[in-house]
Amino acid sequence: MSDKPLPPVDAESRAYWEACNTGRLLLQRCAACASVQFYPRVLCAQCGAVSPEPVDASGHGIIRTFTIIRRAVSAAFDADVPYVVALIELAEGPTMMSNIIDSPLEAVAIGAPVQLTFERRSDAINIPQFRLVP
Amino acid sequence: MALKGSTAIIGVHDTRVGKVPEKSATALCVEAVLGALADAGLRLADVDGLVTCNSMAQPHMYHAEMVAEYLGLKPRYCATAAAGGGATFTVLYQAALAIEAGICDTVVIAMADSLRSGLSREAAMVMQSSSGHAQFETPYGATVPGYYALIAQAYLHAYDARPEHFAAVAVSGRQHACLNPAAEMRKPITIEDVLASRLIADPLRLLDCSLVSDGGAAVVLTRADRAAHAPHSPVYLLGAGEGRGHEHISQAASLTQSAARLSGERAYAMAGLSPADVDLAQVYDCFTPVVLIEMEDLGLCGVGEAGDFFLRGDGAPGGRLPINTHGGLLSHTHPGNPGSMFALTESVRQLRGGLGERQVADANVALVHAQGGILSSHCTVLLGTEATL
Ligand SMILES: [Zn+2]
């Protein structure tokens, strides 16, 4: 287990983090306007309709943008330097932040296809991560 | 409501900046208040509004009230900006509205902090770690430069731009700082120097990043009819506008265009001005790529053209449109939340005139723009001399 930050799970995100524990990434789909969103909310941020439904992400996406962190945010990340922080455009539409792990640094590029994986950070928390599609 | 020209800035003051360990953040704020009042030819008793921003080094839940108590003031209008960047101009805008609405007559806006001397390394780390969404961003270990680097990388990709375009912003800012005796960084730099500085978060290098400083500044804003008696020429608020997109960068609809477009349009409309009327601009420069995006969104450059604008020297001293004439956050000073205040005090001094070799010729209209969050919350203000009313 690492000293890296754990997400402060709240009542509205519990289902999301529980799904992560079983290796699933949950998005939300609005029954009224069909838009898909990330992160989980109690309403659709496009139209305001309440209770968007959880849907499983396919796990496919592309790198929308990225950076290589050369100076870690805290000591817990020192051993990872240099590490990639990216915005992933999911196949379903929404964007989420992630690291790009287990991938050659020089191959990380905008537009590169990536695949969902998970990083076990604590007994309770499984962090969604992405790696380059080989 | 006709806000254009109904209020004016009649006093300004900057404290010493850089490393100022002999003064607490509160003392710097108090110094800024008293200095700006002296510049305006006013006394504390003339003040019925006080606006501050919270300090990271000496935070208070009721910061402005704390400063008012320290000064012995009992203001009718009192507000604390919770953040820096665009929030600084938002509270200026709101203070002008309060004056226009008859709630108060004379507001001192004073902001100071001791980021360099008053913040422990641990506290600075906590501050940095707390930016970003605690559940959906922070676990990935991005730094503040890292969040902005995401924008920088997207900009390079979208416009086929080069790191030289970012570097040119830093060089231009430094050229201005070299003419500003108060600036922290006064050694000239070249594009090569910027590109040779160490990578912090690709593609951002050390010299693409702003400073970490102590310091503060204040302005005195009053009703236009009261401004006539001030010792210096009043500088009028011509227009202001706000714009907001996302809060977290992972939720941004665009990584290369921002709500500066909205704040700019609203400010120009209120002032009855267009980008072509602007004689000088102070454009928030926490990191170099931010300036390029803001310049384009504010209509001061064509889309994707701001990098070439700076490479040509158009924003440098004597250029077509001088940008960040004090040296900006990159080379003048950046004490955190109060950073935008120096853009304001510099603009007032430019419009008063008489700045010697730093003076922008025939300066009548100044634009100041700042953003906060990660390109999230924007505010644009247009200031002008009496000739622009
Ligand atoms: Zn909807």
Side-chain angles (χ1 to χ4, degrees), chain A residues 29-35 43-49:
Chain A
R29 187 175 180 282
C30 175
C33 77
S35 72
L43 49 62
C44 167
Q46 287 301 315
C47 77

Side-chain angles (χ1 to χ4, degrees), chain B residues 33-309:
Chain B
V33 172
L34 299 178
L37 282 174
D39 187 56
L42 297 179
R43 297 167 303 128
L44 273 170
D46 299 314
V47 176
D48 59 0
L50 180 69
V51 177
T52 67
C53 71
N54 216 338
S55 155
M56 308 255 187
Q58 292 188 306
H60 284 265
M61 190 174 282
Y62 287 80
H63 189 275
E65 284 82 350
M66 178 275 291
V67 174
E69 175 193 276
Y70 190 111
L71 291 163
L73 284 177
K74 296 180 173 57
R76 289 193 282 172
Y77 180 76
C78 200
T80 305
T88 301
F89 302 147
T90 292
V91 293
L92 172 79
Y93 185 9
Q94 289 165 353
L97 290 170
I99 292 169
E100 170 76 16
I103 293 168
C104 52
D105 293 316
T106 300
V107 181
V108 178
I109 301 164
M111 304 190 179
D113 210 345
S114 310
L115 276 200
R116 179 115 170 242
S117 306
L119 212 58
S120 70
R121 201 168 174 77
E122 294 69 37
M125 280 292 192
V126 169
M127 187 180 94
Q128 172 146 269
S129 301
S130 67
S131 61
H133 196 298
Q135 293 194 62
F136 305 111
E137 293 184 345
T138 307
Y140 299 106
T143 55
V144 172
Y147 289 124
Y148 281 98
L150 295 171
I151 293 164
Q153 195 77 259
Y155 187 93
L156 294 178
H157 185 78
Y159 302 121
D160 214 8
R162 303 186 309 278
E164 286 85 337
H165 289 123
F166 300 153
V169 175
V171 170
S172 176
R174 186 63 62 89
Q175 288 174 314
H176 287 291
C178 288
L179 303 178
N180 178 5
E184 289 180 40
M185 307 298 276
R186 302 194 63 214
K187 183 171 161 276
I189 53 170
T190 62
I191 301 267
E192 292 69 34
D193 292 332
V194 181
L195 296 180
S197 64
R198 69 186 165 89
L199 275 169
I200 302 293
D202 305 30
L204 296 181
R205 294 174 178 276
L206 182 66
L207 292 179
D208 289 305
C209 305
S210 52
L211 304 167
V212 177
S213 320
D214 303 329
V219 302
V220 180
L221 183 75
T222 194
R223 246 177 35 220
D225 60 312
R226 296 185 162 225
H229 314 294
H232 299 284
S233 309
V235 169
Y236 295 88
L237 182 70
L238 303 180
E242 300 179 62
R244 294 181 182 86
H246 52 278
E247 154 57 5
H248 302 101
I249 190 61
S250 57
Q251 295 287 319
S254 169
L255 297 170
T256 52
Q257 294 188 347
S258 75
R261 186 161 299 235
L262 300 173
S263 67
E265 280 170 5
R266 289 163 185 159
Y268 290 129
M270 185 185 292
L273 295 172
S274 76
D277 298 311
V278 175
D279 298 315
L280 65 116
Q282 322 292 2
V283 179
Y284 198 74
D285 58 338
C286 52
F287 297 94
T288 52
V290 174
V291 177
L292 303 186
I293 293 173
E294 290 167 325
M295 293 285 295
E296 295 169 14
D297 286 339
L298 293 166
L300 301 174
C301 283
V303 172
E305 294 173 4
D308 286 333
F309 173 94

Side-chain angles (χ1 to χ4, degrees), chain B residues 22-40:
Chain B
E22 69 274 17
K23 284 200 176 182
S24 69
T26 303
L28 286 168
C29 191
V30 166
E31 181 203 321
V33 172
L34 299 178
L37 282 174
D39 187 56

Side-chain angles (χ1 to χ4, degrees), chain A residues 4-10 13 16-17 38-41 64-74 77 83-87 95-99 110 121 127-129, chain B residues 121 125 128-129 133-147 149-154 157 198-204 248-255:
Chain A
K4 290 178 183 173
L6 296 171
V9 179
D10 57 37
S13 65
Y16 170 86
W17 288 108
F38 180 87
Y39 47 89
R41 298 165 162 97
R64 189 173 163 205
T65 187
F66 72 98
T67 182
I68 304 169
I69 306 286
R70 308 276 176 176
R71 191 169 175 270
V73 69
S74 63
F77 287 92
Y83 56 96
V84 177
V85 172
L87 296 183
T95 293
M96 67 182 288
M97 191 169 283
S98 180
N99 299 121
I110 289 177
R121 197 165 282 188
I127 303 272
Q129 291 284 18
Chain B
R121 201 168 174 77
M125 280 292 192
Q128 172 146 269
S129 301
H133 196 298
Q135 293 194 62
F136 305 111
E137 293 184 345
T138 307
Y140 299 106
T143 55
V144 172
Y147 289 124
L150 295 171
I151 293 164
Q153 195 77 259
H157 185 78
R198 69 186 165 89
L199 275 169
I200 302 293
D202 305 30
L204 296 181
H248 302 101
I249 190 61
S250 57
Q251 295 287 319
S254 169
L255 297 170

